[in-house]
Amino acid sequence: MSALRWGRGVAGLRRALWPAGRHGLLTEEGTLGVIGGRRRSLSASPCEQDRRKDWGHVELLEVLEARVRQLQAESEAEVTVKKVAMAQASEAGGIQPPRKAQMGAGDRWAQKLDEEQRLMERRKEQLRERVQKGGKRLWRVELRKEPRLLSRKLAKQLQRWQKGTPQSPWEEQLEQLLQEAPQRLSCEEASRDPEAKLEGQQQKLLSFLECCLHTGHLPLAHHVLVTYHSRSQQQKLLTLAMYNAVMLGWAREGSFKELVYVFFMVKDAGLTPDLLSYAAALQCMGRLDQDTDTIRRCLKQMAQDGLQLEGLFTSVLLSEEERAELLKAVRKAKPTFSVPCPRPPPPQVNTSPLLREIYAKPNCTVSYPRLHLPLKKLQELFQQQLSMELATTVTVESVEKAPPLTKEVLHARQTLTILRAQWEKALCRELQETKESEAYAAHEGRSSLFPYLCLLSEKELVEMLLQTLQVLPAHGESLFYLAHRLGQRVFNRHMVQRKQLSNQVQVLEKQYSKYLHLLASDTQVRSGSSGRKRKPHAEGPSSLWGSWICLSTLLRFPHMTLGGNWVSSSVPGPSAPDPPTYPQVAEPCLPRQYWEALGLPEYPQEQPWSLSVLVQLGKRLAEMLVQAVRMPSNLATPRDSNTLIPVLYHVYSFRSFRQIGILKPHPAFRQLLETAAEGTLTFESTEVPMLCPPLPWTSPHSGAFLLSPTKMMRSVEGTQQHQVLLERCRPAELHGALDALTQLGNCAWQVNGPVLDLVLELFNNKGCPHLGVPAPPLEAPRPPEGRQAPDACLQPNVPPTQKAELRRELARRLKMAREMHSLRTEALYRLSMAQHLRGRIFWLPHNMDFRGRTYPFPPHFNHLGSDLARALLEFAQGRPLGPQGLNWLKIHLVNLTGLKKHESLQARRDLADELMEDILDSADRPMTGRKWWMEADEPWQTLACCMEIARAVRAPDPTAYVSHFPVHQDGSCNGLQHYAALGRDSAGAASVNLMPSDLPQDVYSGVAAQVEVFRRQDAEQGMRVAQVLEGFISRKVVKQTVMTVVYGVTRYGGRLQIERRLRELQDFPQEFVWEASHYLVRQVFNSLQEMFSGTRSIQRWLTDSARLIAHMGSAVEWVTPLGIPIIQPYHRDSKVTIKGGLQNLSFNSSVDTSQKPNTLKQKNGFPPNFIHSLDSSHMMLTALHCYRKGLTFVSVHDCFWTHAADVAVMNQVCREQFVQLHSQPILHDLSRFLRNRFCSDPRASKNIWASRLMDTLLSVPKPGTFDLEQVKHSTYFFS
């Protein structure tokens, strides 16, 4: 029995497991359902399911039939008894009963249920007929094409034209209609920018119409558009983009009459046709071979609207076939017209002073690195990655130890095969029925999922649902998250298919093949100035010496390809004009610059689906899974009848204070999967590292994966405000971020095989939690037995205290079991993926969050993970250690152990030499030797480093040893470093190693020492809590609070952190924990104020500014020093509810920037988010300059990685770029931006909040006297 059930049983609430989808239980996510005035919290546990395995979702007719038989039996017994009683009464001279009394209640119930049964049979028969017809009944119903116009003038005109003669063709109607002025123009209509991102219902409706067009249901899209247009309230949702989408559909069909209908609606809505509208009309005329006069009049009207003819070919994105029909129509009216050559955009230069050196014409010292792989190998890897993304999923062998193939295992696998075949058929039937019902909903003008369900084939949808069922955890998953994931998978697969159909895959193959010439190690390229050819490198560093192209020349010859002999002599290219003969300075070329110079065709950007669409679609698919997937009940109870029971059931559970719906698999099904032990795992292609170099980032929506949709900036699901800001930026403003993300993703990785072997050995042998290897489920704690068993405590004589203790113990064990299962699953995914990639080279594409911090896409296997995850990775490209590489390996090893943190670099090298015997023993006998590495702070990375050092010292020449091992350099409380530099705070700078010193300074020990000074003073004055704390104030007690103060932790949060540390101290009197934590958090904040006075003043200034901006009704915005626009996504969430089905799903949405900001989150989030944007800027600058010097560089936020031979160079670049960053007037630039953004409106002068904001922004904290140049000489700045 679940501990959760016991925990609620004490409140006296009855708990029961209700069948999924039962009427009356449509409880909202996060709320309690109210039935008959009483609150019921529905929950269930696996133990309860073991006792109720025959529970489930049964057919209504079976229930009715059973009830009828029961009532009939009761009626017969009741009538017999009554007859006997009546006979006795008449014999005794009693009165005869009235006629009504002769019919029992059971008979009346039986008659009523018979009628309901007949009605249900008729409904099921009708449903079968509809399914047999394959959903074709909808298309026999005529869909609306003629619009109902709200303008009387246009309505009469339309009616007159419909009744007109053949002398009044539709072409003339279109001509006269185009001359009509818009009927109404208001702020609301004027704001309908077709290029603006649509929010909420508008975004949902546009995606519906586009999906109708993609699936061939153009009449349905037109019908829905007409329906919305005919209703004044719904017409407000329509935008020109929606009308244009339907017009383009009719233009492709050559249906001019329907196209004119849409033009009528555009004019009736008060909108003005744009270039895309005219392109649709002219394309349709080209298909129908219209007369010249009609086309000429259309072009004349377009010119009168201020639209240029050339814009049809330069500003409108159409397919080649559509452009051909458009050109055919234009040339009929203007035979001499020629399509304008696509002029290259004017060279855009990034104006940031921080990037001037990156994008200025460099000198000969620039050495961008190449990969160590030849061109042919890279082309093979590209084909593998392309196949993987086209398949959308990747199957990986599980590293879980496979059981012997016993009869039981084989029988379980055979049973699963049979069940899956049945489930496929059942899901197909359910999908057909769902499409039918959704099609009728769309026909009635209601919200419908019909076109979304038609995007993928039934086979693809069924496979996706069965994969979801396979990986559903035993404790279930939230219906909301499951629905969102299913909806997102449908969208991703649809986008891949769209690229296949639009010929983008073939174009990508050609372009990528040329792009690889920039990266391959064996391509022979010729320098623009010297003409010398570079020899290919087999191993070690390689760079773009000589692989230089003149970008200005490429822009002058946009039709020239980079695959020709001019650039690469290895691959012949099409003929191109001879290069200019005048002398030209060669430029090194970044991957983004090279890719843009290739001239990849531009394709229309697909609008993302709104969060509500994704969740609604996924919820419907999940409900299909619940309803269709069933299994025989005898799998759960062998002696039970062979009836069908659901494999999934829907229950409610509490997560924190919210009640949420959960889909759980039947325990018998999970047992069947465990017995079968099929040994494969399935991942989405975007969850797996790439097998070829990622595409360079060229825009906020283009980069990384070959086909799968990506975004440069990840954000809270459903929010579009970040993407809107990025799209509005000038492309050059984002070059720094785009190139940094590309550089991070271009780092090639490989798996550390020896470490993986050791981890797998532990993983399949009961694990080792101490080393981060989770134990198997069999090691999880079991429920108590005997008198402490849950069933035993149901007895009435069990005292309440014993029940309460049992509830706590059950809750503890249940929580531990779930945590162990979660950790085990995470490790299984990581290790299986590592085993899958063993011996292969792979890449980790990156994007960033809304603050600019970078993250790899693959979630299960990357270098941002735990100690174990990092130890499994090493650089695929090696570098010789050189004269100092071995020393840096030794320093890195000591850093990983946690020893000598406060000692010099020389002391750390000396310690490594002293421990060399232990190091070699750990490398040679990691599991049987002294196991010294197991006591380190980062044990697995320590072991990997021991193995690398052992190989290096045993090499004939350690300086020539090629090392693949990444060496890390960490910032010293990096957030405080940025604060100290912003405020030029000398005291703070010294505490966080901005000043040169012989030994590293430890800010945490400094704060602890300052707190101890305050404590001693208070203890002398007789303060009791200060006296109790004597001897207990240590670095460990205050570290977490000091570390998180810079990221916005409050006194309340700091007190909880210190409380946890105090409770870990065995000798500390626990009765003083609460009082002592209050005292210490106050003294920690006072100490930071003493040590970092400039830091606290800047924090207060940022907090006050954000609070005032939020009071003005806006979210805080700013631009990072590298030009990345930032907006804080903290708004007062609006509640969105999706009704019906298993439950009402409610979730919060903050997609609309017009929503009021959350003042508390805005002001508390601004200081840490601003600092995060600075540390990301520093990292990107370091990445770009390291790349410029030919280094391999990756980062984990403020932890920078490179080869051991290059650590000194990376440290120098890191320090220089930190000084360069903080030499800018960052706070003054921020003040100026915020004043222009929020105080420049003349109306703001009347706003009291705006006046206060202006005063605050003008009061920029004054800097101190610290000299930033000292950072360049600080050895322990990053160490």
Side-chain angles (χ1 to χ4, degrees):
M1 183 174 296
S2 156
L4 187 60
R5 179 174 181 263
W6 271 107
R8 297 174 198 150
V10 72
L13 296 176
R14 298 180 59 189
R15 299 294 181 256
L17 180 62
W18 291 72
R22 182 164 179 170
H23 297 294
L25 298 182
L26 303 179
T27 308
E28 295 186 2
E29 187 96 352
T31 61
L32 291 172
V34 182
I35 306 173
R38 297 182 58 189
R39 284 192 169 189
R40 298 195 178 199
S41 173
L42 306 185
S43 64
S45 68
C47 297
E48 289 172 327
Q49 294 309 304
D50 289 336
R51 296 194 302 271
R52 305 175 182 181
K53 292 177 181 176
D54 58 335
W55 281 46
H57 214 2
V58 297
E59 293 291 343
L60 179 59
L61 289 177
E62 295 177 6
V63 176
L64 293 175
E65 289 171 358
R67 184 61 176 158
V68 166
R69 290 193 295 269
Q70 178 185 2
L71 291 175
Q72 285 177 342
E74 292 175 358
S75 175
E76 291 175 1
E78 181 182 357
V79 171
T80 303
V81 171
K82 285 188 176 182
K83 285 182 178 179
V84 173
M86 291 300 174
Q88 294 174 351
S90 65
E91 289 175 3
I95 302 175
Q96 294 290 332
R99 182 175 180 83
K100 273 191 176 180
Q102 296 179 7
M103 180 179 292
D107 289 330
R108 291 194 299 272
W109 268 103
Q111 291 178 1
K112 183 176 180 180
L113 291 176
D114 282 338
E115 295 175 1
E116 293 181 359
Q117 184 180 16
R118 287 192 294 271
L119 178 62
M120 288 296 299
E121 287 289 351
R122 285 198 301 270
R123 290 179 179 175
K124 289 187 69 175
E125 187 62 31
Q126 293 173 0
L127 185 59
R128 291 192 194 101
E129 292 176 359
R130 286 163 53 187
V131 172
Q132 290 173 359
K133 294 176 183 177
K136 297 181 180 179
R137 179 181 173 186
L138 172 67
W139 317 126
R140 295 203 303 266
V141 180
E142 185 177 356
L143 297 172
R144 293 179 61 182
K145 290 186 178 180
E146 299 178 5
R148 177 176 171 267
L149 305 179
L150 301 183
S151 168
R152 292 185 179 181
K153 178 180 178 182
L154 288 176
K156 290 180 180 179
Q157 192 175 0
L158 176 61
Q159 187 177 12
R160 185 169 60 252
W161 280 339
Q162 287 174 332
K163 296 179 181 178
T165 61
Q167 285 75 27
S168 176
W170 287 101
E171 293 79 6
E172 294 183 8
Q173 297 170 19
L174 177 60
E175 176 197 350
Q176 298 178 29
L177 187 61
L178 288 174
Q179 295 175 358
E180 291 285 338
Q183 297 301 308
R184 60 180 186 276
L185 284 176
S186 63
C187 295
E188 179 180 290
E189 276 77 40
S191 65
R192 295 179 179 180
D193 182 0
E195 295 181 359
K197 296 293 181 179
L198 301 177
E199 297 179 347
Q201 294 180 331
Q202 290 182 329
Q203 188 181 10
K204 183 177 180 180
L205 182 56
L206 178 60
S207 62
F208 174 88
L209 297 175
E210 289 177 341
C211 288
C212 284
L213 268 60
H214 296 330
T215 55
H217 297 112
L218 178 58
L220 179 61
H222 185 93
H223 168 78
V224 171
L225 186 70
V226 169
T227 303
Y228 271 74
H229 183 86
S230 302
R231 302 167 184 171
S232 58
Q233 292 299 320
Q234 291 184 339
Q235 188 187 116
K236 297 178 182 179
L237 297 175
L238 300 179
T239 64
L240 185 57
M242 300 175 192
Y243 293 106
N244 282 343
V246 179
M247 272 196 287
L248 269 178
W250 289 124
R252 297 185 186 111
E253 298 286 334
S255 301
F256 202 82
K257 180 178 179 180
E258 287 77 7
L259 185 141
V260 173
Y261 279 147
V262 181
F263 261 103
F264 264 103
M265 290 188 285
V266 169
K267 288 295 182 178
D268 188 50
L271 302 174
T272 303
D274 61 0
L275 278 173
L276 187 57
S277 310
Y278 282 102
L282 290 169
Q283 179 194 155
C284 191
M285 292 179 187
R287 294 182 188 277
L288 299 176
D289 198 18
Q290 295 293 341
D291 62 278
T292 305
D293 291 339
T294 302
I295 299 174
R296 188 177 292 116
R297 287 193 294 267
C298 183
L299 293 176
K300 180 180 178 181
Q301 183 61 43
M302 187 177 74
Q304 291 177 358
D305 289 344
L307 303 175
Q308 298 295 325
L309 177 59
E310 291 77 7
L312 294 174
F313 299 92
T314 59
S315 302
V316 178
L317 296 178
L318 300 172
S319 67
E320 290 297 326
E321 188 263 346
E322 290 172 336
R323 287 169 60 90
E325 295 295 341
L326 176 60
L327 182 60
K328 176 183 174 182
V330 172
R331 282 183 174 168
K332 194 167 185 180
K334 294 187 175 184
T336 60
F337 177 80
S338 61
V339 178
C341 293
R343 298 178 180 177
Q348 296 195 8
V349 181
N350 188 288
T351 57
S352 172
L354 296 171
L355 298 170
R356 188 175 297 132
E357 186 180 352
I358 295 292
Y359 299 116
K361 290 186 179 181
N363 52 37
C364 61
T365 61
V366 177
S367 176
Y368 290 135
R370 280 176 172 257
L371 296 173
H372 63 294
L373 301 172
L375 178 63
K376 185 176 180 180
K377 179 63 176 177
L378 289 173
Q379 290 173 338
E380 293 175 358
L381 294 176
F382 166 75
Q383 291 298 330
Q384 295 176 20
Q385 177 66 25
L386 184 62
S387 300
M388 185 172 73
E389 291 194 39
L390 287 173
T392 68
T393 57
V394 182
T395 300
V396 173
E397 292 292 329
S398 172
V399 296
E400 199 103 52
K401 188 176 181 181
L405 292 179
T406 62
K407 291 183 178 180
E408 184 181 10
V409 172
L410 294 175
H411 181 264
R413 293 183 179 180
Q414 182 181 8
T415 303
L416 276 176
T417 302
I418 297 173
L419 287 176
R420 284 170 182 154
Q422 297 172 355
W423 293 342
E424 287 181 9
K425 296 178 181 178
L427 284 170
C428 285
R429 289 194 300 269
E430 188 69 27
L431 182 59
Q432 293 170 1
E433 295 177 15
T434 303
K435 285 184 180 180
E436 176 76 7
S437 61
E438 293 293 333
Y440 274 102
H443 173 71
E444 295 174 2
R446 294 184 282 113
S447 176
S448 171
L449 296 172
F450 175 69
Y452 301 98
L453 294 171
C454 297
L455 289 172
L456 305 180
S457 66
E458 292 181 0
K459 180 181 179 182
E460 288 177 296
L461 284 174
V462 168
E463 287 179 354
M464 186 178 68
L465 291 176
L466 291 180
Q467 290 169 5
T468 302
L469 179 65
Q470 182 83 7
V471 300
L472 205 62
H475 56 269
E477 188 169 2
S478 163
L479 179 58
F480 172 77
Y481 291 111
L482 180 63
H484 180 260
R485 190 168 69 248
L486 284 172
Q488 190 65 53
R489 287 181 177 177
V490 173
F491 175 75
N492 291 343
R493 283 164 169 76
H494 163 60
M495 292 300 298
V496 172
Q497 289 186 0
R498 289 283 300 158
K499 292 181 179 179
Q500 284 183 275
L501 296 174
S502 62
N503 203 35
Q504 293 185 46
V505 176
Q506 290 80 358
V507 175
L508 176 66
E509 287 184 279
K510 296 178 182 178
Q511 299 295 101
Y512 194 87
S513 179
K514 299 173 185 177
Y515 171 65
L516 288 178
H517 286 76
L518 181 76
L519 306 178
S521 63
D522 63 342
T523 50
Q524 295 180 354
V525 293
R526 188 172 298 173
S527 171
S529 57
S530 65
R532 292 173 297 178
K533 294 184 179 180
R534 183 184 60 81
K535 296 180 180 180
H537 292 273
E539 180 61 71
S542 54
S543 61
L544 293 182
W545 294 102
S547 68
W548 296 344
I549 62 172
C550 175
L551 294 181
S552 58
T553 303
L554 284 171
L555 291 176
R556 291 186 61 189
F557 297 94
H559 53 284
M560 184 191 68
T561 63
L562 293 182
N565 293 328
W566 182 18
V567 176
S568 171
S569 61
S570 61
V571 178
S575 60
D578 294 332
T581 57
Y582 56 85
Q584 187 74 41
V585 178
E587 297 179 6
C589 189
L590 289 164
R592 174 191 54 79
Q593 295 171 327
Y594 195 91
W595 183 266
E596 290 174 348
L598 290 173
L600 187 67
E602 193 173 359
Y603 296 98
Q605 181 186 353
E606 292 284 346
Q607 288 287 346
W609 296 350
S610 65
L611 180 61
S612 61
V613 169
L614 294 174
V615 174
Q616 188 177 1
L617 174 61
K619 177 173 177 282
R620 193 68 191 91
L621 292 173
E623 290 168 350
M624 290 167 50
L625 199 60
V626 172
Q627 295 164 5
V629 177
R630 296 171 177 270
M631 65 180 186
S633 59
N634 55 17
L635 289 178
T637 307
R639 297 182 180 180
D640 197 3
S641 59
N642 196 19
T643 58
L644 293 179
I645 60 175
V647 173
L648 294 178
Y649 54 91
H650 175 245
V651 297
Y652 288 90
S653 178
F654 276 94
R655 297 285 172 86
S656 184
F657 60 90
R658 298 182 61 209
Q659 186 191 29
I660 63 172
I662 294 177
L663 285 187
K664 276 190 174 184
H666 198 289
F669 172 67
R670 292 300 310 173
Q671 183 62 44
L672 184 64
L673 286 178
E674 292 175 7
T675 304
E678 293 175 306
T680 58
L681 302 171
T682 302
F683 299 96
E684 295 292 301
S685 60
T686 54
E687 296 175 346
V688 180
M690 292 185 67
L691 302 180
C692 70
L695 295 181
W697 283 99
T698 56
S699 73
H701 56 268
S702 178
F705 293 100
L706 303 180
L707 301 176
S708 303
T710 53
K711 290 195 300 183
M712 172 186 172
M713 184 174 285
R714 59 179 66 185
S715 58
V716 179
E717 289 299 341
T719 57
Q720 297 294 324
Q721 47 203 349
H722 310 292
Q723 198 71 12
V724 171
L725 288 179
L726 291 173
E727 298 286 356
R728 290 176 181 172
C729 282
R730 289 175 53 250
E733 295 176 0
L734 298 177
H735 281 173
L738 295 171
D739 291 334
L741 290 173
T742 300
Q743 184 271 323
L744 294 173
N746 273 353
C747 176
W749 298 88
Q750 66 185 18
V751 174
N752 190 328
V755 174
L756 177 60
D757 290 334
L758 294 172
V759 176
L760 290 178
E761 181 182 345
L762 285 178
F763 183 80
N764 287 314
N765 188 23
K766 295 188 177 182
C768 182
H770 170 67
L771 295 176
V773 183
L778 294 177
E779 301 298 317
R782 299 296 177 185
E785 298 179 357
R787 292 187 177 182
Q788 297 298 319
D791 291 341
C793 291
L794 294 176
Q795 303 300 326
N797 57 351
V798 176
T801 54
Q802 186 175 347
K803 288 185 178 181
E805 180 62 29
L806 176 61
R807 282 197 298 271
R808 286 190 293 270
E809 179 63 18
L810 281 175
R812 186 189 67 81
R813 297 192 181 194
L814 180 62
K815 179 182 178 183
M816 186 178 298
R818 287 179 174 174
E819 288 176 350
M820 289 179 63
H821 178 272
S822 178
L823 293 172
R824 181 75 176 183
T825 303
E826 181 185 8
L828 175 65
Y829 289 170
R830 177 179 293 118
L831 296 177
S832 299
M833 201 164 291
Q835 180 71 9
H836 175 72
L837 295 169
R838 183 199 288 264
R840 308 172 75 173
I841 297 173
F842 52 91
W843 285 260
L844 300 173
H846 282 62
N847 68 350
M848 60 186 181
D849 64 12
F850 76 92
R851 304 163 300 184
R853 279 197 154 190
T854 59
Y855 300 85
F857 274 101
H860 305 299
F861 189 46
N862 59 62
H863 60 292
L864 261 69
S866 62
D867 165 58
L868 172 59
R870 298 184 185 188
L872 292 173
L873 289 167
E874 60 184 15
F875 295 136
Q877 186 169 354
R879 293 290 298 266
L881 285 179
Q884 296 298 324
L886 182 57
N887 287 335
W888 280 112
L889 281 176
K890 294 176 180 178
I891 293 171
H892 180 57
L893 174 68
V894 176
N895 289 344
L896 291 171
T897 62
L899 306 172
K900 301 289 183 179
K901 287 183 178 180
H902 312 309
E903 299 294 332
S904 65
L905 296 181
Q906 183 61 48
R908 300 179 203 183
R909 287 198 298 267
D910 294 341
L911 177 63
D913 291 333
E914 294 174 10
L915 296 173
M916 187 57 67
E917 187 177 346
D918 289 330
I919 293 172
L920 297 177
D921 177 74
S922 298
D924 297 336
R925 298 182 299 157
M927 296 300 178
T928 58
R930 304 171 196 167
K931 302 179 183 179
W932 168 80
W933 62 276
M934 291 187 180
E935 304 303 320
D937 287 355
E938 309 286 350
W940 288 109
Q941 292 180 82
T942 301
L943 176 60
C945 194
C946 288
M947 293 178 174
E948 188 73 3
I949 292 176
R951 288 190 290 264
V953 298
R954 290 167 178 169
D957 181 7
T959 61
Y961 172 74
V962 177
S963 173
H964 297 257
F965 193 81
V967 175
H968 313 166
Q969 295 286 277
D970 285 300
S972 178
C973 199
N974 190 239
L976 285 175
Q977 286 179 326
H978 283 284
Y979 268 123
L982 282 173
R984 303 296 194 273
D985 185 353
S986 298
S991 301
V992 290
N993 294 301
L994 295 188
M995 286 186 177
S997 60
D998 296 330
L999 295 175
Q1001 303 300 306
D1002 181 32
V1003 64
Y1004 311 115
S1005 299
V1007 172
Q1010 184 64 47
V1011 171
E1012 175 61 21
V1013 171
F1014 292 150
R1015 185 209 65 79
R1016 193 179 301 113
Q1017 295 172 355
D1018 294 334
E1020 292 174 355
Q1021 296 178 5
M1023 183 178 289
R1024 175 61 176 162
V1025 66
Q1027 296 171 349
V1028 170
L1029 281 167
E1030 183 176 0
F1032 292 104
I1033 297 177
S1034 63
R1035 179 182 187 272
K1036 183 178 181 180
V1037 170
V1038 303
K1039 178 180 177 180
Q1040 186 180 13
T1041 305
V1042 174
M1043 185 187 305
T1044 53
V1045 157
V1046 67
Y1047 298 126
V1049 72
T1050 61
R1051 289 180 182 262
Y1052 174 78
R1055 190 202 68 78
L1056 293 178
Q1057 294 169 345
I1058 293 176
E1059 178 183 338
R1060 285 192 288 269
R1061 301 291 83 80
L1062 291 177
R1063 291 193 183 279
E1064 294 171 357
L1065 302 177
Q1066 297 180 353
D1067 298 334
F1068 186 78
Q1070 296 299 304
E1071 64 271 17
F1072 287 95
V1073 164
W1074 191 86
E1075 186 179 0
S1077 62
H1078 270 281
Y1079 173 79
L1080 283 181
V1081 74
R1082 185 169 64 252
Q1083 299 303 342
V1084 167
F1085 274 71
N1086 291 338
S1087 300
L1088 289 171
Q1089 179 67 42
E1090 289 280 336
M1091 298 172 62
F1092 297 90
S1093 57
T1095 295
R1096 300 302 290 173
S1097 64
I1098 294 173
Q1099 272 191 321
R1100 282 194 296 269
W1101 182 73
L1102 294 172
T1103 302
D1104 292 342
S1105 301
R1107 177 176 55 82
L1108 295 171
I1109 292 172
H1111 279 306
M1112 292 176 63
S1114 300
V1116 180
E1117 299 179 37
W1118 70 97
V1119 177
T1120 71
L1122 290 190
I1124 305 172
I1126 307 294
I1127 182 172
Q1128 294 195 140
Y1130 310 135
H1131 295 85
R1132 296 181 186 177
D1133 296 333
S1134 60
K1135 196 173 185 180
V1136 178
T1137 302
I1138 299 175
K1139 298 183 179 180
L1142 291 175
Q1143 71 173 79
N1144 289 351
L1145 263 184
S1146 296
F1147 56 91
N1148 294 327
S1149 174
S1150 60
V1151 300
D1152 189 357
T1153 55
S1154 64
Q1155 293 171 215
K1156 292 183 178 181
N1158 185 318
T1159 304
L1160 183 62
K1161 289 186 177 181
Q1162 289 287 342
K1163 75 180 186 67
N1164 288 342
F1166 187 29
N1169 289 336
F1170 181 71
I1171 294 300
H1172 278 313
S1173 71
L1174 292 184
D1175 70 45
S1176 71
S1177 298
H1178 176 225
M1179 184 277 298
M1180 290 182 180
L1181 286 171
T1182 305
L1184 292 173
H1185 283 271
C1186 284
Y1187 190 67
R1188 187 179 177 85
K1189 291 180 178 293
L1191 273 63
T1192 298
F1193 175 90
V1194 291
S1195 77
V1196 182
H1197 305 317
D1198 60 346
C1199 178
F1200 298 168
W1201 297 18
T1202 192
H1203 289 96
D1206 300 325
V1207 173
V1209 179
M1210 184 187 72
N1211 278 338
Q1212 178 187 0
V1213 172
C1214 174
R1215 293 191 289 265
E1216 290 175 351
Q1217 294 311 308
F1218 186 86
V1219 173
Q1220 181 75 4
L1221 172 66
H1222 283 282
S1223 296
Q1224 307 300 314
I1226 295 176
L1227 293 182
H1228 287 278
D1229 287 346
L1230 175 64
S1231 173
R1232 187 183 308 109
F1233 174 85
L1234 295 178
R1235 293 200 308 270
N1236 293 335
R1237 175 67 181 84
F1238 300 107
C1239 302
S1240 59
D1241 190 344
R1243 293 173 294 181
S1245 59
K1246 301 179 181 180
N1247 189 328
I1248 186 174
W1249 298 113
S1251 300
R1252 294 181 182 177
L1253 176 62
M1254 177 63 81
D1255 296 338
T1256 301
L1257 294 177
L1258 290 174
S1259 305
V1260 180
K1262 295 181 180 180
T1265 59
F1266 173 64
D1267 182 10
L1268 274 176
E1269 290 297 319
Q1270 296 186 62
V1271 176
K1272 294 182 179 180
H1273 309 289
S1274 175
T1275 303
Y1276 302 104
F1277 169 60
F1278 267 59
S1279 64

